[in-house]
Amino acid sequence: MKKSAIFGLVVIAVAIAVIISVYSSSSTYATFAEAQASGTELHIIGHLNKKKELVYDATKDANYFSFYMNDNKGEERKVIINSTKPEDFERSEQLVVTGQMVGNEFHASKILMKCPSKYTQDKLDVTEVKAKQASI
């Protein structure tokens, strides 16, 4: 075999290995029910349940943070992450958690937050009122 043919086969084999590697490490978006069934690492999009408590005590364990989240289908689960609580977490509009289900709890490895923009000014409700003419 010629050296160029061997080199071409090696390049093709490396390209196939890279494609398989990228495909296997990519995760998909799912719901809590789908994460429960699959047992693999997934992304879940949802909203923080602000009615339930956030558990974070830096003096007790600085690397434990838990909260309750509703996915886009409305299913609520407890989410646990072994990290510190992100700044302005309560103000987030939407959450994307990456991780997997362990029992009935979702153990996250990453949290992405969509927060309100700090560049938009708060809008005030302005009502225009006309004064009545006084009769003398």
Side-chain angles (χ1 to χ4, degrees):
M1 253 185 159
K2 292 184 179 181
K3 289 184 180 181
S4 61
I6 294 172
F7 179 73
L9 289 174
V10 169
V11 168
I12 291 172
V14 168
I16 291 172
V18 168
I19 290 170
I20 291 172
S21 164
V22 168
Y23 180 72
S24 66
S25 67
S26 65
S27 58
T28 58
Y29 290 96
T31 62
F32 285 127
E34 294 167 347
Q36 183 86 38
S38 76
T40 60
E41 186 170 273
L42 299 170
H43 296 292
I44 297 180
I45 300 173
H47 302 280
L48 174 66
N49 185 345
K50 295 180 181 181
K51 294 177 182 175
K52 292 201 174 178
E53 71 174 335
L54 306 174
V55 177
Y56 179 70
D57 186 2
T59 58
K60 185 177 177 185
D61 186 0
N63 289 322
Y64 179 86
F65 175 50
S66 69
F67 58 94
Y68 287 87
M69 176 178 146
N70 295 326
D71 64 11
N72 284 340
K73 299 269 181 164
E75 186 176 351
E76 181 184 79
R77 293 293 171 102
K78 182 178 184 179
V79 178
I80 297 172
I81 185 163
N82 292 324
S83 176
T84 59
K85 183 177 118 181
E87 188 176 334
D88 292 335
F89 185 76
E90 296 85 1
R91 295 183 56 209
S92 64
E93 291 179 356
Q94 187 177 44
L95 300 171
V96 178
V97 292
T98 304
Q100 60 187 6
M101 294 295 294
V102 176
N104 287 330
E105 300 173 337
F106 188 81
H107 287 245
S109 56
K110 285 193 284 186
I111 297 177
L112 299 173
M113 301 182 310
K114 180 182 177 188
C115 294
S117 177
K118 63 182 177 183
Y119 300 109
T120 59
Q121 296 179 357
D122 294 334
K123 295 182 179 180
L124 300 175
D125 290 332
V126 178
T127 305
E128 183 177 350
V129 178
K130 291 188 179 182
K132 295 182 181 177
Q133 292 282 337
S135 58
I136 302 180

